[in-house]
Amino acid sequence: MPGEPEQPGGRADLAEVVRRAKAGEATPQDVFETFLHARVYCERPDEPGFLTVTASELPGTEGRAPQGSRILDLALVPDGTDATAAPGDATPAARLVPVFTSLEQFALFTGGGAWFSTTGADVLDLMPAGLDVWLDPAAEHAVRLASAATKSEPVLHVSYRPRGSAA
């Protein structure tokens, strides 16, 4: 496996901002902005897409879920619909994409294997609608970034100066 690439701003910055936010010392906006620029790692599937876990399978919910890729499956459905939901389920289970701040965090959750890296902004751009990010699931600072909260929309800022003012 190749060495971990260097990244401006450092991968520890994202984990540290999440820790600070959990302690009330940083805002969710700080987490979001740091995530956008951070280098993050994901498990690489055999086909294009993201590997996901169903939120109901998360540790701490009903029953104990195993860690790592054993509970992951490929989410290829473009609208984010859970293809594994039982017929008649009105609302499909929430799906999470495990995303890691470092290869060490990746290995703690997956046990190792094929990976790819990109920026947090690219992850959000490439992820199908309806999926949430589960950042560093094996860490004490694990956090879920809800897709509704990670939408970024273009904003137009208009400023003007009164007539007769100097430039």
Side-chain angles (χ1 to χ4, degrees), residues 53 67-69 71-72 98 100 104-111 134 137-138:
V53 62
Q67 281 190 327
S69 298
I71 60 173
L72 300 178
F100 308 92
E104 292 81 15
Q105 286 296 323
F106 171 81
L108 281 174
F109 184 74
T110 65
W134 190 20

Side-chain angles (χ1 to χ4, degrees), residues 129-147:
L131 299 177
D132 292 348
V133 169
W134 190 20
L135 188 66
D136 287 346
E140 77 286 345
H141 62 266
V143 67
R144 179 177 179 170
L145 305 176
S147 58

Side-chain angles (χ1 to χ4, degrees), residues 31-68:
V31 173
F32 177 67
E33 301 234 349
T34 305
F35 178 78
L36 289 177
H37 301 288
R39 166 98 18 223
V40 294
Y41 302 85
C42 298
E43 188 167 1
R44 189 186 68 204
D46 293 332
E47 297 179 31
F50 283 94
L51 294 170
T52 68
V53 62
T54 302
S56 61
E57 295 173 335
L58 300 181
T61 60
E62 301 266 77
R64 188 171 183 289
Q67 281 190 327

Side-chain angles (χ1 to χ4, degrees), residues 57-145:
E57 295 173 335
L58 300 181
T61 60
E62 301 266 77
R64 188 171 183 289
Q67 281 190 327
S69 298
R70 295 183 305 264
I71 60 173
L72 300 178
D73 59 75
L74 188 58
L76 292 173
V77 184
D79 67 354
T81 303
D82 182 2
T84 63
D89 281 356
T91 307
R95 310 247 356 126
L96 305 176
V97 175
V99 175
F100 308 92
T101 57
S102 67
L103 289 176
E104 292 81 15
Q105 286 296 323
F106 171 81
L108 281 174
F109 184 74
T110 65
W115 55 272
F116 68 92
S117 71
T118 188
T119 64
D122 284 341
V123 167
L124 295 180
D125 283 343
L126 296 170
M127 241 177 28
L131 299 177
D132 292 348
V133 169
W134 190 20
L135 188 66
D136 287 346
E140 77 286 345
H141 62 266
V143 67
R144 179 177 179 170
L145 305 176

